[in-house]
Amino acid sequence: MFEGAVGRPAHKAIVGLHKVLGGSGMLAYLTYMAERLEHMNRLLKLSGSIYLHCDDAAVHYLKILMDAIFGADKFLNDIVWKRATSHNDSKRYGRITDHILFYAKSSDKNLRFWDGDSIANRKSDEELRKAYPLVDESGRHYRSENVTGAGITERGESGRTWRGYEVSEKGRHWAPPKKSSYAQYIETNFIENYQQIEGVHDRLNALDKAGLIHHPQEGKWPGLVRYAGADKGNLPQNLILEPVGFTNFNANRGEYLGYPTQKPVDLLDKLVLASCPVNGVVLDPFCGCGTTIVSAGKLGRKWIGIDISSFAIDLIKKKRLQDFNIPTKGIPYDFASARRLKEENPFNFESWAINRLSGFVPNAKQVSDGGVDGRATLAYIPDDFDSRLGLAQVKGGSGNLLGGLRDFLHVSDRDRAAVSCFITMNEFSSREAIKEAAEHGKIHINGHPYQRMHLWSIEHFFEKRFPNLPLMNDPYTGKPIQPTLFEAWN
């Protein structure tokens, strides 16, 4: 794809990485990412920036790719995020951090949107009182900072006496704030045309007139007034220690959905606030369970989320956006589109089909799955069975479905499943299949009978005919949910 495409931004990077890595899985991943990163660069506004989250196994390769595609001069940070408090690795240091590569569209910092102040680590009132112990006549807390610099100079006014203070006696020179930094010391005071003042003594006089020079008791040295109200806190650094993964999510906030690559909303809040203006647009082309779009919506930004997995889109609509009628594309809405998904991407079809059943989630591993494609947990233990396990298997092909059912009946007995669902594309109406499914027996919950093996199809789904399943637990909260199918298509 890239070898002969000399005009593509990632050409040299991929060709070089191929020489280092050979035909490895890592190279396949990098090629996949390169194609998409090229489009992200194309879509990014001149004032925009991009964050790429990755682990330490791929970060160095991905940086080479992004340098090639975005330009090495657009690199801003390799942000390290502490994703766990500890990880026990027996033969190496525990891996508890991930990386976030931060690039801009433009190398001109005046064009790039950046609001680091919005995510600064603010000081508490007590910390501010300690850091700013002096109080002026208006009751404002301030401190006196050095208005001199180290070393004696005889050039210009910086080494000359000002207001009777012999600066050279201290082995220093006058260094009042210059054009670009004076504002950090001023809360409500305003010095007209300060940025045009060139002379060192003139700047000192202007600051003194505005009440921004602290004159202490006799024998002490003057200082520059800095008000507590102008303290923006500790600006964001390239090490993020909070939030730490999902340490307290289940107990404190119920945010964790069990999605394999889920990030905390607080982490995405930092990135969105710093790099996207209000009413700006956030695009997450690998949106997973929707953390980025939740953050963007909460913070007043427009958003677009894309994911290849229908399971991820279903999860977003069910768990993140259940109160909104958000349009989606790429999810089957009729039998014909479901059949196309099965033909084009069997694994995605399998996940989508499993998610049509209330309480069921597809396996993270879709090969060598032991004959099981999805699982669920019954809300209550049956009266006459010692398991709450629910199993599902998807058979989208037109082969020996009866043989597949018999294999799944064996799996259901092997795993002690209380209920199981055998899902096919079309209605499976074989009399022999119906008979063998019925002979698998029943369970009872509070006296109500439920078949242990259910034959169900995608054809049934679009006809709104659902299997009679017992009450299941929500796989993300562990709490009982009503036995209705997830109707995100409405």
Side-chain angles (χ1 to χ4, degrees):
M1 180 185 298
F2 284 92
E3 187 173 358
V6 295
R8 297 186 67 167
H11 164 71
K12 290 182 179 179
I14 291 295
V15 170
L17 288 168
H18 182 238
K19 292 178 181 178
V20 175
L21 299 170
S24 63
M26 178 60 77
L27 184 71
Y29 165 70
L30 294 170
T31 303
Y32 169 89
M33 287 300 300
E35 188 171 10
R36 285 148 183 82
L37 286 167
E38 287 181 345
H39 287 294
M40 292 176 214
N41 184 42
R42 176 179 60 84
L43 294 170
L44 193 60
K45 290 179 63 174
L46 194 59
S47 60
S49 50
I50 181 171
Y51 294 88
L52 177 62
H53 182 279
C54 53
D55 62 19
D56 55 3
V59 61
H60 41 297
Y61 301 130
L62 287 167
K63 187 178 185 304
I64 292 172
L65 272 187
M66 296 190 78
D67 281 351
I69 295 168
F70 291 87
D73 60 331
K74 313 303 192 312
F75 170 73
L76 299 176
N77 287 111
D78 176 3
I79 302 166
V80 176
W81 171 51
K82 185 179 179 182
R83 61 174 170 80
T85 53
S86 65
H87 191 272
N88 296 325
D89 287 325
S90 60
K91 297 294 184 180
R92 62 180 176 182
Y93 299 98
R95 300 170 68 195
I96 62 170
T97 59
D98 278 345
H99 295 257
I100 304 172
L101 295 175
F102 179 33
Y103 280 73
K105 177 71 170 185
S106 171
S107 57
D108 185 347
K109 64 180 181 181
N110 294 316
L111 290 176
R112 181 178 74 252
F113 178 84
W114 172 251
D115 185 11
D117 292 344
S118 66
I119 58 171
N121 185 18
R122 307 295 181 185
K123 294 183 177 71
S124 67
D125 290 343
E126 183 177 353
E127 288 172 329
L128 287 172
R129 284 192 295 270
K130 288 181 179 179
Y132 299 86
L134 303 173
V135 183
D136 69 9
E137 63 277 4
S138 300
R140 295 180 297 175
H141 281 261
Y142 72 96
R143 70 182 180 216
S144 177
E145 294 191 341
N146 210 326
V147 75
T148 67
I152 298 173
T153 179
E154 298 187 8
R155 292 180 301 169
E157 296 178 336
S158 60
R160 298 176 188 171
T161 301
W162 177 75
R163 301 287 176 91
Y165 296 107
E166 295 284 350
V167 69
S168 60
E169 291 181 357
K170 300 289 185 179
R172 301 180 70 82
H173 63 276
W174 297 112
K178 296 182 179 180
K179 299 176 184 178
S180 61
S181 60
Y182 81 96
Q184 65 179 316
Y185 299 97
I186 302 171
E187 183 187 29
T188 58
N189 305 62
F190 176 74
I191 303 176
E192 188 174 359
N193 297 324
Y194 181 85
Q195 296 188 57
Q196 280 71 52
I197 299 174
E198 295 291 343
V200 171
H201 283 193
D202 288 340
R203 290 206 302 272
L204 287 169
N205 289 331
L207 290 166
D208 196 20
K209 184 178 179 181
L212 293 172
I213 296 294
H214 172 71
H215 294 278
Q217 298 174 354
E218 188 175 347
K220 302 291 184 181
W221 203 248
L224 186 63
V225 170
R226 182 169 183 178
Y227 284 104
D231 192 322
K232 297 178 180 178
N234 298 319
L235 292 176
Q237 308 298 307
N238 71 338
L239 176 63
I240 299 178
L241 299 177
E242 296 290 341
V244 182
F246 305 113
T247 303
N248 298 313
F249 277 26
N250 282 327
N252 296 340
R253 294 168 51 181
E255 184 180 329
Y256 185 51
L257 300 179
Y259 195 81
T261 57
Q262 185 180 353
K263 312 295 184 299
V265 172
D266 284 352
L267 174 65
L268 274 299
D269 285 351
K270 296 178 187 293
L271 311 185
V272 171
L273 285 169
S275 294
C276 183
V278 175
N279 294 322
V281 180
V282 175
L283 167 65
D284 187 349
F286 301 93
C287 67
C289 64
T291 305
T292 302
I293 63 179
V294 167
S295 173
K298 180 181 71 171
L299 298 173
R301 277 69 173 172
K302 300 172 185 176
W303 55 263
I304 302 169
I306 303 170
D307 203 278
I308 195 172
S309 168
S310 60
F311 166 60
I313 302 303
D314 276 350
L315 182 60
I316 291 171
K317 296 200 72 170
K318 184 177 182 181
K319 293 297 178 182
R320 300 290 206 186
L321 305 173
Q322 62 269 39
D323 296 327
F324 302 92
N325 184 22
I326 304 295
T328 57
K329 297 181 180 180
I331 301 295
Y333 287 95
D334 56 28
F335 187 76
S337 60
R339 185 178 292 281
R340 282 196 302 272
L341 178 63
K342 176 183 71 70
E343 293 169 354
E344 294 170 2
N345 196 321
F347 284 151
N348 272 1
F349 170 76
E350 182 181 291
S351 296
W352 174 81
I354 294 293
N355 273 288
R356 302 311 96 196
L357 292 170
S358 178
F360 281 79
V361 289
N363 296 342
K365 181 180 180 182
Q366 292 184 299
V367 293
S368 302
D369 53 20
V372 177
D373 296 324
R375 298 174 185 274
T377 303
L378 278 64
Y380 303 104
I381 189 76
D383 306 336
D384 46 6
F385 204 80
D386 61 355
S387 168
R388 294 165 59 194
L389 176 64
L391 297 180
Q393 187 181 80
V394 180
K395 285 294 181 184
S398 57
N400 185 2
L401 295 180
L402 182 57
L405 172 63
R406 288 168 176 166
D407 290 341
F408 189 49
L409 287 166
H410 171 74
V411 168
S412 179
D413 280 335
R414 179 199 69 193
D415 292 354
R416 297 292 297 160
V419 294
S420 300
C421 291
F422 188 71
I423 305 172
T424 55
M425 192 71 201
N426 297 94
E427 182 176 2
F428 190 18
S429 55
S430 160
R431 290 185 179 181
E432 194 168 357
I434 295 171
K435 177 176 179 291
E436 293 192 23
E439 289 175 349
H440 200 57
K442 296 181 180 180
I443 60 167
H444 295 78
I445 297 178
N446 294 327
H448 296 286
Y450 299 92
Q451 279 191 217
R452 288 189 60 208
M453 180 60 67
H454 296 263
L455 304 179
W456 189 68
S457 71
I458 301 305
E459 192 174 13
H460 289 151
F461 170 71
F462 286 108
E463 293 172 355
K464 297 188 178 181
R465 296 160 56 193
F466 313 129
N468 180 30
L469 295 170
L471 193 68
M472 298 288 182
N473 277 347
D474 186 310
Y476 305 103
T477 67
K479 298 178 180 179
I481 55 176
Q482 293 302 314
T484 57
L485 292 189
F486 171 43
E487 297 181 0
W489 64 94
N490 286 334

